[in-house]
Amino acid sequence: MNSMLSRSKQITICSQLGRVKLQLLYKASIHGFTSLAFHQRCDNRCPTVSVGYNASGYVFGGYTKQPFSQSSAYVKDDQAFLFTFSGEKLHKYPAANDAGAVKMMAKCGPYFGEDLVLVYANNAVVHSAPGNYYNFTAADMHGNDLTLTECEVYQVEETTALERPWRTIHWESVKKNELKESIKIYQPTDSSVSQARVLLIGPVGAGKSSFFNSINSVFRGHVTSQAMAGCFTTSLTRQFRTYSVKDGRKGKPLPIIFCDTMGLEESTGAGLDIEDISSILKGHLPDRYQFNTSAPLDSDSSGYLKSPELKDKIHCVTYVIDACKVSIMPPKLEEKLNGIRRKVNLMGIPQLVLLTKVDEACPLVKEDVKNIYKSGYIKELMQEVSARLGVPLSCVVPVKNYCEELELDPDCTTLLLSAIIQMLRFTDNYFDDISDKVSNMEV
């Protein structure tokens, strides 16, 4: 199920509740605007956040720590509150009379006192009567638009910190400098190649271009933005681009090249064409090749490299996945990713997964990036993306890109550099495999 509640609004609600995350239980547009569907999916689940949406653009609802039931009784809840959003700002209305903060009605959806009811009497409507148990104005809460376009109920789940990190990472500045130096002096084991070529693949908005910009920032010494990046529903990248990172403003290029592509999109005929993947992997695509969503590249296309060398080919494939969207990844998008993975497997190219936006997905990590391997929730996400994409957990690496910062953060930098080290190690595996094949042919 795709969550209609934006990630930023989820984080805002969670900030009122502690170290928690929201798990979608009920979505009326899928399960039905009926009390039966609501109670089947939400009874005995707690705490919960219920959210209503209307055509006027209002997002509003309520929180309760009490489990829903069909008892017809009022239930006391001294922590219950109603809320509405004005843009990204949350307006909160605590229960004025907590003795009847929630009512358990069999023929309705979430029922807060007598004041706010979502999915009222088995209809896609809101019942609103402020002043009984909560004090708010109807105009502020929902703009007096009582028709629901959607209703969602989320279970509130704790994101607990693990006793000790489940992966070892050194955060000291001396270690960060060692990582940077290791990248600078790296040399591919095949003498015909001077730079490792890493292909970045991922859904629109996952952070492919932002990852390159972040790595570029680390080696420039300040936050920069060379590749186009932003929050759009369709891919900003329309060309096949190869980006080399320089060591400083006028420094030498590092021994790694990032290849950026169009973002993957759920719908057929949109975003990166899977058929273009083979051409990219084999090194046929020139830099700045303009993607054609209606037809894949062929050997007659302008700029087509008919006889690519090893240095032109892809040496490591890295999937870039938004941590906030792992659990709600559309089936068609997952199918596309798995189709690409099978092509890459057949060509024997190592594969890595970058899990981005980990701070947005987990309040514990947002509080401190060094909690990344102490977060049980992030570990669960990494295990889930490992299973969905069919790669070992050791091939999944979490990072936080530079998106809103103006200055570099040493801990974010450490995570980014660690990801590059993994890419270079995987590239070595690729060249070792080629060397082994050549040796076997000579025997």
Side-chain angles (χ1 to χ4, degrees):
M1 289 188 294
N2 289 327
S3 170
M4 190 168 178
L5 188 64
S6 70
R7 189 62 204 166
S8 60
K9 286 184 171 62
Q10 290 188 42
I11 290 172
T12 300
I13 293 172
C14 288
S15 69
Q16 303 290 320
L17 306 173
R19 291 178 176 175
V20 299
K21 61 187 177 78
L22 301 182
Q23 183 65 40
L24 186 57
L25 297 175
Y26 164 75
K27 189 177 182 71
S29 62
I30 293 177
H31 303 115
F33 284 91
T34 67
S35 59
L36 177 62
F38 159 71
H39 285 292
Q40 282 180 337
R41 300 190 65 86
C42 302
D43 279 3
N44 302 313
R45 307 291 285 271
C46 63
T48 54
V49 171
S50 302
V51 189
Y53 308 80
N54 62 27
S56 300
Y58 285 80
V59 179
F60 56 98
Y63 164 82
T64 176
K65 66 179 182 180
Q66 297 294 342
F68 290 115
S69 71
Q70 301 176 56
S71 66
S72 299
Y74 285 101
V75 179
K76 181 178 181 179
D77 188 346
D78 59 0
Q79 294 181 31
F81 62 85
L82 299 181
F83 64 85
T84 189
F85 279 94
S86 175
E88 294 298 316
K89 185 177 180 181
L90 178 77
H91 299 279
K92 183 177 174 182
Y93 307 94
N97 180 356
D98 59 28
V102 189
K103 192 174 183 180
M104 305 302 175
M105 295 297 289
K107 294 185 178 181
C108 292
Y111 204 116
F112 292 90
E114 296 290 346
D115 301 57
L116 187 73
V117 185
L118 306 179
V119 189
Y120 183 66
N122 290 308
N123 290 300
V125 297
V126 177
H127 169 75
S128 181
N132 296 294
Y133 295 91
Y134 298 88
N135 295 320
F136 63 90
T137 62
D140 290 338
M141 177 65 73
H142 43 63
N144 286 310
D145 182 350
L146 301 182
T147 300
L148 288 172
T149 56
E150 183 64 277
C151 177
E152 296 177 325
V153 178
Y154 296 82
Q155 183 161 5
V156 179
E157 299 179 352
E158 289 187 11
T159 55
T160 55
L162 302 176
E163 213 171 292
R164 57 174 60 91
W166 62 278
R167 270 186 187 169
T168 301
I169 189 165
H170 300 283
W171 301 101
E172 302 84 359
S173 59
V174 63
K175 184 62 179 179
K176 181 188 68 174
N177 292 331
E178 287 176 6
L179 293 174
K180 285 185 73 173
E181 195 60 33
S182 296
I183 295 168
K184 290 179 187 179
I185 64 174
Y186 171 81
Q187 289 182 327
T189 55
D190 191 300
S191 59
S192 68
V193 180
S194 60
Q195 291 176 296
R197 287 172 72 90
V198 177
L199 176 64
L200 303 177
I201 298 176
V204 173
K208 296 185 289 87
S209 299
S210 294
F211 175 71
F212 164 75
N213 287 335
S214 297
I215 298 301
N216 201 29
S217 299
V218 167
F219 284 93
R220 281 295 181 96
H222 59 85
V223 175
T224 185
S225 182
Q226 181 179 344
M228 290 180 63
C231 300
F232 290 83
T233 56
T234 57
S235 180
L236 273 177
T237 305
R238 312 300 297 182
Q239 297 177 324
F240 175 71
R241 290 302 318 271
T242 58
Y243 293 107
S244 185
V245 181
K246 289 184 179 180
D247 180 20
R249 186 163 174 256
K250 294 184 178 180
K252 295 180 179 179
L254 296 178
I256 187 169
I257 290 177
F258 294 103
C259 302
D260 196 10
T261 65
M262 285 186 69
L264 293 176
E265 297 184 35
E266 181 182 357
S267 56
T268 304
L272 181 65
D273 191 312
I274 293 182
E275 295 306 314
D276 277 334
I277 292 293
S278 294
S279 296
I280 295 172
L281 298 175
K282 293 175 182 178
H284 292 301
L285 259 66
D287 185 31
R288 298 182 186 274
Y289 166 75
Q290 188 76 30
F291 287 107
N292 182 353
T293 56
S294 61
L297 176 78
D298 61 45
S299 57
D300 295 325
S301 300
S302 176
Y304 183 89
L305 302 177
K306 294 187 177 181
S307 301
E309 300 176 18
L310 183 58
K311 67 180 180 62
D312 302 312
K313 298 179 180 181
I314 298 300
H315 310 135
C316 175
V317 171
T318 298
Y319 303 102
V320 183
I321 305 295
D322 183 344
C324 301
K325 297 181 180 178
V326 172
S327 299
I328 57 173
M329 186 184 296
K332 288 185 179 179
L333 188 57
E334 186 175 342
E335 187 178 314
K336 277 190 177 182
L337 282 166
N338 284 323
I340 293 170
R341 183 180 57 79
R342 286 191 292 271
K343 284 181 177 289
V344 177
N345 278 341
L346 288 173
M347 299 184 67
I349 302 173
Q351 301 169 79
L352 191 71
V353 177
L354 282 187
L355 196 65
T356 61
K357 305 183 184 181
V358 289
D359 57 318
E360 295 181 28
C362 177
L364 188 65
V365 177
K366 189 175 184 67
E367 182 182 297
D368 188 346
V369 173
K370 291 198 290 289
N371 288 329
I372 188 69
Y373 291 122
K374 285 186 177 181
S375 168
Y377 179 55
I378 293 297
K379 185 176 183 181
E380 288 175 9
L381 286 180
M382 291 171 67
Q383 290 170 330
E384 184 176 353
V385 79
S386 166
R388 281 175 176 263
L389 298 188
V391 298
L393 185 58
S394 59
C395 296
V396 183
V397 181
V399 295
K400 181 195 177 307
N401 291 333
Y402 288 114
C403 295
E404 59 186 14
E405 298 83 358
L406 295 178
E407 301 295 334
L408 299 181
D409 176 85
D411 299 328
C412 292
T413 293
T414 296
L415 281 181
L416 290 162
L417 292 173
S418 297
I420 298 298
I421 291 294
Q422 287 301 105
M423 291 176 187
L424 297 178
R425 288 172 177 171
F426 278 38
T427 298
D428 280 346
N429 293 340
Y430 175 77
F431 291 128
D432 288 345
D433 189 45
I434 289 178
S435 178
D436 289 343
K437 287 179 182 178
V438 171
S439 297
N440 291 333
M441 290 173 64
E442 292 175 350
V443 174

